Amino acid sequence: MSDPYQVTAGLRPPSPTNAASLRSLRLWVSVVLAGVNLVFAVAYALWSVVDDWAATRAEAHGFDPSMLLPNDVALWVAMNACIVILIALDGLWIVLAIKLRSSCASTA
């Protein structure tokens, strides 16, 4: 009888080096994604503090629009879009990591 992995999809079970490589790749992607999360969280926090400070300063002067940040609406859109994209990337990575772990566990 032929090998069931060849019959179904032309796949073979991962070799030990391939599995170790896959674990290493998952680890590195997780580390990079954690770094990107940290960078965007710090950038969002700094922008939020500066934007609040500029709005308070503008209101203290009888709401002088020249005291606001330049392009504040574009910055608001960019920062919130970054957070939404980051949440989507995190969710996608979690789903992929679970799928990779279950596929490695089922072939082992």
Side-chain angles (χ1 to χ4, degrees):
M1 183 152 193
S2 65
D3 188 13
Y5 291 107
Q6 290 177 345
V7 172
T8 56
L11 300 175
R12 293 191 180 270
S15 65
T17 57
N18 192 15
S21 173
L22 191 59
R23 276 192 299 271
S24 176
L25 177 66
R26 278 196 328 235
L27 175 68
W28 279 108
V29 170
S30 296
V31 168
V32 168
L33 195 57
V36 170
N37 275 302
L38 181 68
V39 166
F40 279 116
V42 168
Y44 188 86
L46 289 175
W47 166 80
S48 180
V49 168
V50 170
D51 190 51
D52 288 344
W53 175 75
T56 304
R57 184 180 62 170
E59 288 174 357
H61 290 93
F63 198 74
D64 183 9
S66 67
M67 302 290 244
L68 294 173
L69 292 175
N71 301 321
D72 60 336
V73 174
L75 284 171
W76 182 87
V77 169
M79 285 297 167
N80 286 294
C82 284
I83 295 299
V84 168
I85 290 170
L86 196 58
I87 290 170
L89 279 175
D90 287 342
L92 179 66
W93 177 242
I94 289 168
V95 168
L96 276 171
I98 290 171
K99 186 174 247 185
L100 285 173
R101 178 172 283 172
S102 67
S103 71
C104 283
S106 67
T107 58

